[in-house]
Amino acid sequence: MVRQMKISYGTIKNTKQQDKPNEDLVFCDLDRNIFILLDGVSRDTINGVYPFPSPAAEATEILKANIHKELSVTLGNVRDRIVTAMMKANAKVQEYNREHILDFAAGAVGIIGVIEDQRFYYAYIGDCYGRVITGDKVEIFTTCQTQEIARHKREYSTYEIRHIICNNIKHPCGYGVLNGDERAYDFIQSGVIDCANIDQIILSSDGMEGYLSGAFIGEIYESTAQELIIKAMRYNNKAQDDRSVIKIEKEHLLQ
């Protein structure tokens, strides 16, 4: 069978609550080789009803639009440009939060990638994931920033997690969110991958991790992004978070 896929991507709504929208966002500009995957931070229900419109979904749209705009018009070091784009977009989210009265700032985590000169430049914040497949090996090149707070969340109130620990690099459980807080810069991690020997790059939101972390390499390699999402849905029958994947194959990486 001849495999034709070079790029595939998809996202699907959570199964946690019927009125909770998909607050993930995936965007691929194949002309400029810009890849954006964002995961909005969930809100609290109000009298059992999820906020509409969702501030988290609105924050992801603001971030996507401004990151894409900045990367489309600026020149220079690609790695630095991605970080700058993320922080400029973060400032736009700050404007949104100033205009809306919310119990805590709307925001999102995410991973951004740009392919240039057969290199994959990236930057991320929070708990989205990046993987590379090389031959018979899968390697995660991101670090989940919410691992410590997940381990110790019972030790802190919701207020402390959202207002004191979030974007606080000095806290042992600190984690990053693009929510308008300038301190988010401390949590943005960036890097570059030489694509010469890479077969695939896979970007995903944390809703996919339960499935991807245990999947066989062949299953990941042979599946499109949409197929991976479907397989993740079948992985367990419990309520699941929004799930999103961007998959980039070698044929596109080396163009």
Side-chain angles (χ1 to χ4, degrees), residues 87-220:
M87 286 308 295
K88 286 188 175 182
N90 185 57
K92 294 295 183 180
V93 175
Q94 183 182 69
E95 293 177 10
Y96 172 90
N97 282 315
R98 285 174 176 169
E99 295 170 359
H100 295 77
I101 300 174
L102 301 171
D103 54 346
F104 68 101
V109 298
I111 181 166
I112 316 301
V114 175
I115 300 171
E116 188 171 295
D117 295 329
Q118 298 187 6
R119 290 179 174 86
F120 182 78
Y121 298 85
Y122 66 89
Y124 69 91
I125 187 170
D127 57 2
C128 288
Y129 287 77
R131 284 176 166 81
V132 293
I133 296 180
T134 307
D136 60 354
K137 295 182 180 179
V138 180
E139 180 181 359
I140 298 175
F141 59 85
T142 54
T143 300
C144 177
Q145 297 177 356
T146 58
Q147 286 180 343
E148 288 304 309
I149 192 57
R151 290 191 186 104
H152 299 281
K153 63 181 179 181
R154 294 185 180 180
E155 302 170 24
Y156 302 101
S157 67
T158 299
Y159 179 89
E160 288 174 312
I161 293 171
R162 291 172 173 173
H163 297 274
I164 298 174
I165 300 174
C166 180
N167 287 324
N168 184 354
I169 197 70
K170 295 180 180 180
H171 196 284
C173 295
Y175 63 97
V177 176
L178 296 175
N179 62 2
D181 188 338
E182 294 178 358
R183 297 177 303 165
Y185 177 81
D186 295 332
F187 287 90
I188 296 176
Q189 300 294 312
S190 65
V192 58
I193 297 170
D194 187 338
C195 299
N197 298 313
I198 299 298
D199 294 316
Q200 295 180 352
I201 293 178
I202 301 165
L203 313 179
S204 58
S205 61
D206 67 325
M208 289 293 300
E209 198 54 24
Y211 165 72
L212 287 177
S213 62
F216 291 110
I217 182 172
E219 186 175 358
I220 298 175

Side-chain angles (χ1 to χ4, degrees), residues 217-241:
I217 182 172
E219 186 175 358
I220 298 175
Y221 182 86
E222 292 294 337
S223 302
T224 66
Q226 297 90 339
E227 288 168 345
L228 289 173
I229 290 171
I230 292 171
K231 290 174 181 178
M233 292 174 62
R234 296 171 179 167
Y235 176 71
N236 68 60
N237 295 321
K238 297 179 180 179
Q240 297 185 36
D241 197 0

